[in-house]
Amino acid sequence: MNTFITKFSVGNYRNWLITAFLTFGIFLPNPSNAIAQKPDKTPTNQIADKQTAPPNKAEEQAKTAAKQAHEFAHGVNPMVNWADADTRREIIRRFETAANLWRTANKPLEEFDALDEVGASYAYLKDFPAALKTLNRQLTLARRVPNAFLEYNSLVHIADVHLALNEPRESLDFFKQAQAVLETESLRGDLNGVFRKTNLSETELERYKNWRITPTENLFHRLEDVLFNRLGALYKKLDEPEKAVEFYLKSLTAARLARSFGYGEIADRVRQVALTLTDARQFDRAAEFLKTEIAKARDEGNNGLEAELVELAAKINKREKPE
């Protein structure tokens, strides 16, 4: 996800949340790919029966409904206008139907996928209570599977919605739950499952090779970056600048460890720390921090990052608040 919070008026945050909801799928792989391959303890003779048995009627109905919903929402129908409120309500109707059919068929992962579309559309319509209800249903599914990656996904979105409802303390509680999930061993196992079920192209594999990082580690650090950045912004809203700086610095570290962020994105995270310090009138500390970051960029030969930070430092040195 490329959108990060810098201002926290409820109106601005609601607009940000809509964008975040609709682009979260770009940042995170499809939730249905998030299931680690767990050993199947079914007896061998029953496995053959499972593989050859035809899908039941409920599953066939769910597949048909989901296919039609995806075709309607994702471009097969050229008349679909995602910005239109009536279209959004129709997307909700179709994917809720699919989700309910998947539930009848006892397919929690497919139900989770369908609810992603429902939650995104409710967020677009700014119907945050309905989005929250959908996300809590997702969270229940994620915990029932269980899958830590899906649980993290749901918890972060629930925290976002509480913030959109101007409920920062409730938001903080869910962000902390997400942080606890992020620290579990099971999360990394579930992230491995993402890439066991995702066929990466040769170009993508070469990209990870050039970054000198595995896809799982890259995704893990991006998850860290998302969460820590949110926590930094939330603590800033709660007027706790020291906590905000702590988590913005963690976000910066995670972004660097991911190795896939451009210099502009790294500069954004450095700027968040500097902004928080200048808001707290800690100009000298901000200047020293930027001095260190500029030296680091210079040592890395990152001229673009160095140039952005030099400009930012000039404003700090003049005791001006950076834009």
Side-chain angles (χ1 to χ4, degrees):
M1 185 181 305
N2 297 322
T3 308
F4 289 86
I5 309 162
T6 55
K7 297 182 181 179
F8 262 82
S9 71
V10 174
N12 284 342
Y13 185 72
R14 286 179 174 176
N15 291 332
W16 175 88
L17 176 62
I18 292 166
T19 303
F21 245 118
L22 300 182
T23 59
F24 206 58
I26 297 172
F27 176 76
L28 299 179
N30 189 309
S32 65
N33 291 337
I35 303 305
Q37 302 291 324
K38 296 182 173 64
D40 191 342
K41 298 181 180 180
T42 307
T44 304
N45 62 328
Q46 293 183 28
I47 291 177
D49 292 340
K50 284 169 60 180
Q51 291 174 340
T52 58
N56 59 41
K57 184 177 180 181
E59 187 174 337
E60 285 298 319
Q61 289 176 332
K63 284 181 179 178
T64 300
K67 182 176 182 293
Q68 291 173 346
H70 279 286
E71 288 176 350
F72 179 81
H74 296 295
V76 172
N77 181 352
M79 301 304 293
V80 169
N81 178 5
W82 276 55
D84 178 70
D86 289 338
T87 299
R88 280 289 174 185
R89 283 189 279 270
E90 179 62 15
I91 289 173
I92 289 170
R93 186 189 70 78
R94 287 173 182 251
F95 277 103
E96 280 187 334
T97 297
N100 290 333
L101 288 168
W102 284 126
R103 180 169 52 182
T104 300
N106 194 28
K107 294 289 185 178
L109 305 183
E110 289 81 356
E111 182 182 352
F112 191 101
D113 279 351
L115 292 175
D116 255 3
E117 304 285 351
V118 176
S121 291
Y122 275 131
Y124 185 91
L125 294 171
K126 299 185 180 181
D127 187 347
F128 296 114
L132 198 58
K133 183 178 179 180
T134 302
L135 289 167
N136 276 295
R137 181 174 164 186
Q138 270 196 322
L139 180 59
T140 299
L141 286 169
R143 287 172 170 168
R144 192 178 68 175
V145 170
N147 185 276
F149 175 56
L150 300 186
E151 184 178 359
Y152 167 93
N153 187 1
S154 298
L155 287 166
V156 169
H157 278 323
I158 290 171
D160 286 340
V161 173
H162 276 297
L163 201 50
L165 291 168
N166 201 24
E167 298 171 347
R169 290 296 173 185
E170 289 84 350
S171 179
L172 182 60
D173 176 64
F174 281 97
F175 278 137
K176 286 183 175 180
Q177 290 184 54
Q179 186 177 5
V181 171
L182 198 61
E183 294 168 356
T184 63
E185 287 297 322
S186 59
L187 179 77
R188 288 180 182 267
D190 291 333
L191 293 185
N192 282 328
V194 172
F195 294 102
R196 277 199 293 268
K197 296 188 70 176
T198 302
N199 294 320
L200 296 176
S201 69
E202 289 297 324
T203 301
E204 289 170 323
L205 290 172
E206 186 64 24
R207 188 179 300 130
Y208 286 112
K209 183 179 178 180
N210 291 336
W211 288 336
R212 302 188 306 280
I213 193 169
T214 66
T216 297
E217 286 301 306
N218 171 263
L219 178 54
F220 176 76
H221 291 309
R222 286 191 290 150
L223 294 179
E224 285 186 315
D225 172 65
V226 166
L227 179 61
F228 295 150
N229 206 280
R230 300 286 222 295
L231 280 166
L234 179 53
Y235 278 117
K236 188 173 181 180
K237 175 182 172 63
L238 293 171
D239 198 24
E240 297 185 38
E242 289 303 319
K243 294 291 288 185
V245 168
E246 174 190 342
F247 281 99
Y248 278 144
L249 286 171
K250 287 183 177 182
S251 172
L252 175 60
T253 298
R256 283 198 166 110
L257 289 172
R259 301 192 179 189
S260 58
F261 289 83
Y263 75 80
E265 294 167 307
I266 298 297
D268 285 342
R269 286 149 183 75
V270 173
R271 187 176 292 107
Q272 286 171 325
V273 176
L275 277 168
T276 304
L277 291 171
T278 55
D279 284 345
R281 312 303 293 176
Q282 298 183 41
F283 292 106
D284 291 340
R285 186 178 169 193
E288 189 61 31
F289 166 70
L290 285 170
K291 181 179 178 181
T292 301
E293 291 298 318
I294 290 168
K296 188 178 297 183
R298 186 178 297 123
D299 290 343
E300 294 171 351
N302 193 333
N303 297 330
L305 178 59
E306 182 183 354
E308 286 206 27
L309 299 185
V310 166
E311 181 180 351
L312 181 60
K315 292 184 177 182
I316 294 288
N317 289 335
K318 291 179 181 178
R319 299 301 190 257
E320 297 176 1
K321 181 178 177 180
E323 296 299 328

